[in-house]
Amino acid sequence: MKPGFDPVTYAVPAFILLVLIEMIWAARKSPNSYEPRDTLASLAMGLGSTVIGALTGGLIGLLYWWVHQFRLFDIGWAWWAWGLCFVLDDMAYYWFHRAAHRIRWMWASHVNHHSSQHYNLSTALRQTWTGTIALGFLFRAPLVLIGFDPAMIAFCAGLNLIYQFWFHTEAIRKCPRWFEAVFNTPSHHRVHHATNPLYLDRNYAGVFIVWDRLFGTFQPEVEAHPVHYGIVKQLGSFNLLWIAFHEWAGIARDAWNAPWGSKLGYLWRPPGWTHDGSRDTSDMIRERWLARDQAVSSE
Amino acid sequence: MGLGQDVRLRDESHARQLANAAVSDFEAASLTLDRARTGALLRDGNGRVMLLRRHGAHFAARLLDNHAFARLDRNFLTIGTGETAFGSVTLDLGDQAQVWASSFRRLEGRLP
């Protein structure tokens, strides 16, 4: 394999084809699953993300190669290293993704992906333009330090991303039970894109849903609670620049207006945190909803 | 392909459901639908006012605060949230437009 080989590039035609197939399905079965302006915004975000990724990817690669000189082991290219690298990379993705929802600096980048009120294959392509600034690449650095070759990590990360494409759909309700138990699926990931209090900040997995089961963040999709997609405060806009930068603007505004002692809190605390308690974090929304639900159930 | 069809609020119950989905502890005590059913104004028991408006094939909501403004023109009420990207909305609220305009004056602190 050549260093820098990116499997995602080769998957793009398949992505486009599958979006078209899903559109045909939607036209027959669920016309409001797609909305032309929403789809265009998602595709434009995906295109922008690809261009910016190509520009910044080299810098991250250089950083990984620099870190690689301090590696603990020489793992090399043994057959077993591929499998191990894929599994560990997926765990690194889980923690990256969890941090991306829990630290506002990282959320400002990741929120782009959640900003659509639709959940279809084009939503999978709605990717961030500011991922490098959000420092998400640091979560894979431990794999480099352990001794996995950066090119192997990049390849596994590419496969991981490709896997994550197909489950952004409402066309598939449930997969076989054994598959739902181990792998991330459309049902599990619908929960992740939901704004329902019960579902907030759940199911961070990339490929293996077992990480959520293991680390206490798993929530199955429940028929009694149909999913509402998007973000807690829906954007109400198809403006690309607003989609890409609204949360960064929000951080700047909040930090500017906050007293000195609280300014940094708007960078590293969870989205929704305020120094004066005037807004809600997802934990607060979820806990309040669960308390009300419990009270209603016990009446 | 007919994707993203013209969505409208079906009835008051639909508007209540969407408001509750937008803010989980918002239980509308009173509401008025726009005549074209592309938006609504709702008030809960705590006096909070919510604007619901169509966004593509879905609806988006905002709790209105003292940054909101309203302009009354007979049965039409134009409401701005103070957010440029969210924009302003003109709702045809019939004879309820005047009542809601008063609510906004209270939000702005101009009336008791």
Side-chain angles (χ1 to χ4, degrees):
Chain A
M1 190 186 70
K2 286 186 293 183
F5 176 81
D6 180 11
V8 179
T9 312
Y10 295 89
V12 169
F15 290 168
I16 304 293
L17 183 67
L18 287 167
V19 168
L20 291 173
I21 290 170
E22 193 190 37
M23 279 180 165
I24 294 167
W25 167 85
R28 291 180 178 185
K29 301 276 186 184
S30 177
N32 281 338
S33 296
Y34 272 87
E35 207 279 341
R37 286 168 294 175
D38 176 85
T39 305
L40 278 176
S42 294
L43 295 178
M45 289 301 295
L47 184 63
S49 176
T50 305
V51 171
I52 293 166
L55 295 173
T56 58
L59 285 176
I60 295 168
L62 283 175
L63 177 74
Y64 282 179
W65 281 111
W66 180 78
V67 172
H68 194 57
Q69 66 184 312
F70 305 110
R71 62 191 176 275
L72 298 174
F73 306 102
D74 270 318
I75 293 177
W77 297 85
W79 64 269
W80 53 266
W82 287 95
L84 189 60
C85 184
F86 186 82
V87 172
L88 291 179
D89 174 72
D90 191 52
M91 186 170 74
Y93 176 83
Y94 169 88
W95 286 107
F96 150 72
H97 196 188
R98 189 164 168 170
H101 279 257
R102 308 294 297 169
I103 299 170
R104 196 176 174 196
W105 181 263
M106 298 182 71
W107 173 244
S109 160
H110 185 61
V111 65
N112 298 171
H113 178 61
H114 286 268
S115 61
S116 172
Q117 289 181 252
H118 293 263
Y119 186 78
N120 54 46
L121 290 176
S122 79
T123 312
L125 304 177
R126 184 180 282 232
Q127 294 292 331
T128 180
W129 293 359
T130 53
T132 307
I133 299 167
L135 305 177
F137 60 87
L138 294 178
F139 285 78
R140 286 190 163 110
L143 272 71
V144 185
L145 265 181
I146 290 170
F148 290 101
D149 192 284
M152 182 185 282
I153 296 168
F155 185 79
C156 290
L159 289 185
N160 196 307
L161 197 66
I162 292 169
Y163 179 85
Q164 290 191 43
F165 174 78
W166 75 277
F167 54 58
H168 288 85
T169 185
E170 290 184 299
I172 299 168
R173 297 311 302 168
K174 288 273 185 183
C175 297
R177 278 183 66 171
W178 68 268
F179 197 83
E180 296 274 349
V182 180
F183 291 98
N184 202 358
T185 63
S187 175
H188 296 329
H189 204 62
R190 281 194 289 271
V191 165
H192 178 69
H193 274 256
T195 61
N196 311 48
L198 176 65
Y199 297 149
L200 282 177
D201 281 356
R202 290 294 180 271
N203 298 3
Y204 296 113
V207 174
F208 299 112
I209 198 68
V210 289
W211 305 122
D212 283 289
R213 295 182 191 277
L214 198 61
F215 299 123
T217 50
F218 178 68
Q219 169 64 49
E221 187 179 21
V222 183
E223 213 164 296
H225 297 285
V227 175
H228 295 276
Y229 302 105
I231 48 181
V232 169
K233 189 178 179 184
Q234 304 288 8
L235 279 188
S237 170
F238 295 116
N239 183 312
L240 268 191
L241 292 177
W242 192 239
I243 291 171
F245 299 112
H246 73 274
E247 191 67 17
W248 294 108
I251 289 177
R253 189 178 53 241
D254 288 340
W256 179 263
N257 292 327
W260 279 103
S262 305
K263 286 186 188 297
L264 283 179
Y266 286 99
L267 272 62
W268 65 269
R269 287 184 183 268
W273 176 86
T274 53
H275 69 280
D276 57 4
S278 58
R279 296 200 291 261
D280 295 330
T281 64
S282 53
D283 281 344
M284 292 156 78
I285 295 169
R286 185 181 161 86
E287 280 162 21
R288 195 166 56 224
W289 183 86
L290 286 172
R292 283 177 58 215
D293 190 55
Q294 216 161 28
V296 170
S297 306
S298 61
E299 276 174 9
Chain B
M1 293 175 79
L3 297 170
Q5 294 177 335
D6 183 27
V7 292
R8 306 281 169 137
L9 293 166
R10 288 190 299 276
D11 49 29
E12 290 193 352
S13 163
H14 187 206
R16 285 175 202 279
Q17 187 195 333
L18 291 172
N20 186 248
V23 178
S24 62
D25 62 347
F26 190 97
E27 303 288 347
S30 61
L31 68 103
T32 305
L33 300 182
D34 169 69
R35 281 192 178 171
R37 304 200 171 200
T38 56
L41 278 172
L42 308 94
R43 188 188 294 107
D44 77 351
N46 298 319
R48 295 183 297 178
V49 177
M50 180 185 283
L51 168 66
L52 198 60
R53 75 148 169 85
R54 189 164 64 172
H55 173 59
H58 288 277
F59 284 84
R62 284 292 182 274
L63 282 178
L64 300 176
D65 57 20
N66 56 3
H67 295 294
F69 70 87
R71 195 169 54 244
L72 180 66
D73 179 9
R74 283 175 294 182
N75 292 340
F76 295 90
L77 194 61
T78 300
I79 302 141
T81 58
E83 292 178 45
T84 311
F86 196 80
S88 60
V89 186
T90 299
L91 301 177
D92 179 356
L93 301 175
D95 56 7
Q96 289 299 301
Q98 176 69 55
V99 177
W100 283 102
S102 301
S103 300
F104 279 89
R105 282 195 287 274
R106 275 196 292 277
L107 270 180
E108 292 163 5
R110 284 199 240 130
L111 282 176

